[in-house]
Amino acid sequence: MEPGTIDNLSILYQSSDFIVVNKHWDIRIDSKMWYETLTLQSQLKHRFPELADPDTYYGFRFCHQLDFSTSGALCVALNKAAAGSAYKCFKDRLVTKAYLALVRGHVSQSRMTIRYAIGKNTTEGMTHMMCIDGTEVCDNPKPCQSELIVLEHGSYSGDPVTKVLLQPLTERTHQLRVHCSAIGHPIVGDFTYSHKKDSSPYRMMLHAYYLRIPTGKELIEVCAPDPFVTAMDSNWVPHHITHQLDETIQELK
C-alpha cells in the first residue's frame, strides 16, 4: 500500500535479453511531461543505468503496456532482437496473460465469457475512455473477448465484492475495465469506469498476475505476487472460496 519511489522497483525475472518487473500501481510506464519524474522508465534507469539503450527514446523497450493504475508483471526487452522476438509472440497470440481484480458486487456465475465489442468514446471530455458497442458515442467498435473466473466472494470496506481472475483473449485499450463495468461489476477503485463514483479506495484493484511469453530463445513465465490478500489490505475480507488461484493458473497453462 506504500506509494512508489525511485528505488523500490521489484524485479520478477531477469536474463541477458529481458527483465520482468512488478509495476507499482499509479506509476506511468513513461511520460513526456516535465513534472512527471517518477515513472517505470526512471526507476529502470536508476536501477540499471548500464542496461539503458541509447538507441531508444526512453532507454528501455517495453514489450506491452499496463495502465497507469494497474500493477503487476510487465516485460522489458533489453535489445532490439529480444524486442522483436517478444513482439512476434504477441502478434501470433502466443502470449498468456491473466489478471487479478476485485470487482463490485457478488458475481453469480462462477465462470463467464464476456464478448462486448469495444470502441473509442467520442463524447467531448471523455475521449480517453472506451465504450461498448451499442453506446451512442462508440466509434469503431472491435470484437473483444475476456474470460472471467470467480475466485472468492467477500467484502471490501464492508461492501460486497468478488475476487476474480480475468484473461483478455484480445488486446483492446481498457478491455478488462470496460468489460467488468459492462456486466455490472466495475473494478473496485476504477474512478473512470464507475462514472466517477468509486474514489475511496487507495488504488484501482487490477493486477497483472500471470505472464507467459514463449520466445524462441527462452520461456518467460512469471507470477507477480497477489496484492489482494487481507495481510496486505485489511479492507479486503474473503468469505467464500469458489476456485483456488494456483489450480486456476495451472488450468491456463
Side-chain angles (χ1 to χ4, degrees):
M1 290 172 70
E2 293 179 1
T5 62
I6 192 69
D7 55 5
N8 72 348
L9 181 64
S10 171
I11 306 300
L12 302 171
Y13 175 91
Q14 186 175 357
S15 70
S16 58
D17 287 330
F18 296 98
I19 293 173
V20 181
V21 303
N22 184 6
K23 179 185 142 348
H24 197 279
W25 49 271
D26 286 356
I27 284 186
R28 294 189 195 285
I29 291 174
D30 48 50
S31 177
K32 293 177 181 174
M33 302 298 181
W34 62 268
Y35 53 83
E36 283 191 301
T37 56
L38 181 61
T39 62
L40 179 53
Q41 197 73 250
S42 64
Q43 287 181 316
L44 283 164
K45 279 184 178 175
H46 178 80
R47 179 79 169 268
F48 304 107
E50 73 285 359
L51 297 181
D53 186 342
D55 291 338
T56 66
Y57 183 87
Y58 289 112
F60 291 89
R61 302 171 192 270
F62 294 99
C63 300
H64 54 118
Q65 298 286 313
L66 287 179
D67 291 347
F68 166 64
S69 307
T70 305
S71 60
L74 182 68
C75 185
V76 183
L78 297 177
N79 54 68
K80 195 172 181 179
S85 66
Y87 170 77
K88 189 174 187 309
C89 289
F90 279 92
K91 183 170 169 283
D92 295 343
R93 297 195 172 187
L94 300 174
V95 176
T96 306
K97 294 195 284 185
Y99 293 68
L100 290 171
L102 297 181
V103 301
R104 294 285 177 192
H106 283 165
V107 180
S108 55
Q109 290 177 251
S110 66
R111 293 172 182 255
M112 66 168 73
T113 300
I114 310 168
R115 288 194 176 91
Y116 291 104
I118 293 175
K120 199 164 180 59
N121 192 324
T122 57
T123 308
E124 190 174 346
M126 302 176 90
T127 52
H128 64 292
M129 292 177 66
M130 308 298 282
C131 49
I132 59 167
D133 191 16
T135 310
E136 195 176 326
V137 291
C138 198
D139 180 51
N140 191 27
K142 293 180 180 175
C144 287
Q145 185 172 329
S146 305
E147 299 292 332
L148 180 151
I149 299 171
V150 170
L151 298 172
E152 298 173 285
H153 289 118
S155 59
Y156 192 85
S157 298
D159 296 321
V161 301
T162 307
K163 184 174 179 176
V164 297
L165 189 76
L166 298 165
Q167 187 183 10
L169 300 183
T170 47
E171 298 283 338
R172 194 75 166 132
T173 303
H174 297 177
Q175 177 176 320
L176 297 177
R177 297 167 65 184
V178 174
H179 272 175
C180 287
S181 179
I183 62 168
H185 296 285
I187 293 170
V188 173
D190 189 346
F191 183 70
T192 302
Y193 291 102
S194 65
H195 307 290
K196 300 187 177 179
K197 293 174 187 166
D198 199 351
S199 59
S200 54
Y202 73 98
R203 61 162 291 180
M204 182 177 73
M205 306 296 174
L206 181 61
H207 176 73
Y209 176 71
Y210 176 73
L211 177 66
R212 184 181 191 274
I213 308 176
T215 73
K217 195 172 169 186
E218 65 190 280
L219 171 64
I220 300 165
E221 187 172 34
V222 296
C223 286
D226 178 4
F228 309 136
V229 292
T230 307
M232 297 272 288
D233 185 354
S234 59
N235 292 308
W236 158 242
V237 181
H239 300 159
H240 173 71
I241 296 174
T242 303
H243 292 104
Q244 294 283 355
L245 178 56
D246 290 348
E247 292 172 11
T248 308
I249 291 295
Q250 285 301 323
E251 277 182 42
L252 287 188
K253 295 181 185 183

